């Protein structure tokens, strides 16, 4: 091979060295600049300027992508800002991996990386990371547990066996416990190894034969496999060792419930709740479960109420017991008794906003407007700047025949309502429409109804009322029909809306369709009102069945004997156009 002249070799060497020198200088400059920007990013973050911190960190990482620590920091931001973008998530995970591979003793980053891989269903990577963490931190029992957990789920039989071995090693150090046995039992259950499950339970129980929790746990496991005689023996033994243990009684109650012995179930629940030293939260848990079993059975209502009476006698000043009792009574439709219990909850916690709303609703349910008004006014001592109580108060005044006072309260509600709360604004405007119509100010009422619908096109109450009163006035019937059809589409079996629908059709002289809808209304209405019955009579009369119409009018008149127009219809057996 032909050799180059020596001076050319020297020139080439000098050129290479010069180029290398320039590259190093550029890289050093970028590194220094990146370090400076990174420090600025940390300063911005310390001052709570997250956006500025992220922008600076991103620029620093662009300048020096080989900085593993900076990459890990940047990955944290990417994960926070990814919003489900899988590409960004995996990019961030890759940065964490790059950092952790070079810093395997960084405990917190390792845990974060392992958990991320679990979330991404990257089991092998997660398992490898937990194994590495376990090797570096053998004394961190939470890592040992997590490593065993991942080994025991989703892997093969060998991995599950290794998981069992790790749990056994924890047991040697920390002793037997229900949580530890539960983890092993879950693995045995996956393998269908019933014998090992029962052996594990027996070993746990024998390690502390007088431990009530272990006996109850044994009963639960044996019951799960249909070993009912043995299960009952464990529950009985637990109650015998600690006769005041409400959890033991309740576990035995659940056992009786599972085998269909309702009498024993009932007895055991009472035994559990009567224990004075059982904490209130546990009693409430038991009671809620019992109510779920029994609340559909009206025959059991006296028993449930007796349980509440026992608990209230034991714990008269526990807000949550009175609150649960009130809610149960609402389900049982005993609204007056529910109001009494709600009053007691508010005596114990007068700042309970939901309690005040419930109390007001209960008094309205029993049509005690004076009590409802009093409840709202009392609530305003604690929430004077809340708009909703003023809305309710305005509706109470309007219902009581004091529309001017009602409008004043609606005005206060408007003043206090945030302009972005369109649903509440819509409710207020709708209520103002009701109030104005009751004063025979129809034009103003329709203005407010339409404002309510503009704010919230799904305000079905405003749509219904506007459509109904338009029909009553005999105006804009096409618009009224469109409104009520919107409501019916959303609430197809709501009796009030169906009555409005029938009335709009009647006013449009579509008598056959109106009759079809009023028939459906009569079917779904629990308690027929004079208005619905009168509408039915009017519709049947105009559809050619005057005899049936007269029956409806007579029934309506029984409910509203002072209705002069109804009286005329019945007397003359004909429809009057007012």
């Amino acid at each position: 091979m032909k050799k180059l002249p020596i001076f050319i070799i020297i020139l080439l060497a000098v050129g290479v060295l010069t180029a290398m020198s320039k590259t190093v200088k550029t890289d050093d400059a970028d590194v220094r600049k990146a370090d400076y920007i990174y420090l600025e990013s940390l300063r911005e973050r310390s001052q709570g300027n997250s956006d500025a911190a992220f922008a600076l960190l991103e620029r620093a990482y662009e300048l020096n992508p080989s900085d593993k620590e900076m990459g890990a920091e940047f990955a944290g931001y990417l994960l926070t800002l990814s919003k489900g973008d899988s590409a960004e998530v995996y990019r961030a995970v890759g940065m964490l991996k790059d950092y952790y591979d070079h810093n395997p003793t960084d405990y917190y980053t390792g845990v974060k990386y392992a958990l991320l891989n679990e979330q991404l269903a990257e089991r092998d990577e997660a398992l490898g990371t937990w194994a590495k963490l376990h090797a570096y931190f053998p004394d961190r029992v939470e890592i040992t547990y997590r490593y065993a957990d991942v080994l025991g789920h989703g892997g093969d039989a060998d991995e599950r066996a290794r998981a069992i071995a790790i749990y056994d090693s924890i047991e040697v150090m920390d002793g037997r416990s229900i949580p530890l046995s539960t983890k092993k039992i879950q693995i045995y259950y996956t393998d269908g190894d019933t014998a090992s499950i029962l052996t594990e339970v027996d070993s746990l129980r024998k390690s502390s034969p007088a431990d009530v929790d272990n006996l109850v746990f044994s009963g639960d496991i044996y019951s799960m496999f249909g070993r009912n005689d043995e299960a009952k023996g464990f529950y009985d033994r637990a109650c015998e060792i600690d006769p005041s243990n409400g959890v033991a009684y309740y576990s035995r109650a659940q056992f009786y419930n599972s085998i269909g012995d309702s009498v024993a179930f009932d007895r055991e629940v009472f035994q559990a709740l009567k224990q004075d030293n059982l904490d209130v939260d546990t009693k409430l848990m038991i009671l809620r479960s019992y109510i779920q079993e029994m609340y559909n059975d009206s025959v059991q209502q006296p028993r449930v109420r007796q349980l509440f009476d026992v608990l209230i006698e034991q714990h008269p000043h526990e807000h949550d017991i009175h609150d649960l009792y009130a809610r149960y009574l609402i389900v049982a439709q005993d609204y007056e008794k529910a109001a009494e219990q709600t009053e007691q909850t508010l005596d114990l916690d007068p700042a309970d906003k939901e309690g005040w709303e419930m109390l007001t609703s209960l008094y309205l349910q029993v049509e005690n407007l004076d009590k409802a008004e009093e409840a709202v006014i009392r609530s305003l001592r604690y929430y004077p700047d809340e708009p909703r109580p003023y809305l309710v108060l305005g509706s109470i005044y309007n219902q009581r025949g004091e529309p001017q006072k009602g409008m004043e309260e609606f005005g206060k509600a408007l003043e206090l309502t945030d302009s972005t709360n369109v649903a509440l604004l819509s409710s207020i405007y709708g209520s103002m429409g009701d109030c104005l119509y009751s004063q025979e100010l129809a034009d103003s009422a329709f203005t407010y109804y339409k404002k309510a619908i503009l704010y919230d096109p799904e305000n079905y109450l405003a749509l219904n009322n506007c459509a109904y009163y338009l029909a009553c006035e005999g105006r804009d019937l096409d618009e009224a029909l469109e409104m009520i059809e919107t409501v019916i589409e959303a609430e197809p079996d709501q009796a009030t809306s169906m009555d409005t629908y029938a009335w709009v059709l009647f006013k449009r002289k579509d008598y056959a369709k109106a009759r079809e809808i009023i028939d459906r209304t009569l079917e779904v209405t629990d308690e027929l009102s004079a208005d619905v019955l009168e509408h039915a009579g009017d519709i049947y009369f105009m559809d050619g069945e005057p005899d049936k119409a007269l029956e409806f009018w007579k029934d309506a008149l029984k409910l509203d004997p002072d209705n002069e127009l109804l009286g005329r219809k019945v007397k003359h057996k004909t429809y009057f156009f007012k």
Side-chain angles (χ1 to χ4, degrees), residues 20 25 30 42 76 137 189 228 240 247 288-290 294 327 330 339 423 448 477 532 558 571:
M20 287 177 62
K25 284 180 181 177
D30 284 347
L42 295 178
F137 305 100
Y189 189 81
N228 292 336
E240 179 186 324
V247 174
R288 286 191 185 99
S289 179
Y290 184 73
M294 296 297 176
R327 293 173 190 276
I330 291 171
Y448 278 98
L477 294 177
V532 171
K558 290 175 187 176
K571 180 179 179 179

Side-chain angles (χ1 to χ4, degrees), residues 383-543:
Y383 301 101
D385 296 327
E386 276 290 317
R388 194 171 295 278
Y390 295 101
L391 169 59
V392 176
L393 194 56
S395 299
I396 290 170
Y397 289 141
N398 187 44
Q399 193 174 342
R400 204 161 59 189
E402 301 175 272
Q404 291 294 340
K405 289 179 68 175
M407 289 299 287
E408 289 176 15
E409 299 304 323
F410 295 141
K412 293 175 187 176
L414 276 179
E415 288 177 11
L416 293 168
T417 302
D418 189 282
S419 60
T420 62
N421 192 345
V422 292
L424 183 55
L425 287 170
S426 177
S427 295
I428 296 168
Y429 285 127
S431 296
M432 293 175 85
D434 296 339
C435 200
L436 289 163
Y437 194 84
S438 71
Q439 299 175 72
E440 300 183 357
L441 300 171
D443 290 338
S444 297
F446 292 132
T447 298
Y448 278 98
Y449 282 134
K450 289 174 182 178
K451 187 177 287 191
I453 295 163
L454 182 64
Y455 270 94
D456 181 7
E458 294 182 355
N459 184 339
Y460 300 124
L461 179 60
L463 283 163
N464 176 85
N465 291 357
C466 188
Y468 181 74
Y469 291 132
L470 283 171
C472 290
E473 297 292 318
R475 57 195 274 191
D476 299 330
L477 294 177
D478 289 343
E479 185 179 7
L481 182 64
E482 185 179 342
M483 287 179 179
I484 195 58
E485 284 180 341
T486 299
V487 178
I488 291 296
E489 185 178 352
E491 303 173 343
D493 295 321
Q494 215 281 332
T496 301
S497 305
M498 289 172 64
D499 175 56
T500 299
Y501 189 24
W503 196 237
V504 171
L505 291 166
F506 173 79
K507 287 290 187 171
R508 287 169 58 86
K509 300 182 180 180
D510 188 350
Y511 301 126
K513 180 70 172 176
R515 177 173 167 173
E516 175 191 331
I517 300 303
I518 202 67
D519 284 344
R520 284 178 53 200
T521 306
L522 295 169
E523 288 174 7
V524 302
T525 304
D526 294 329
E527 188 174 344
L528 292 171
S529 68
D531 285 341
V532 171
L533 289 167
E534 184 178 7
H535 290 162
D538 295 351
I539 291 167
Y540 266 76
F541 185 89
M542 298 305 288
D543 198 42

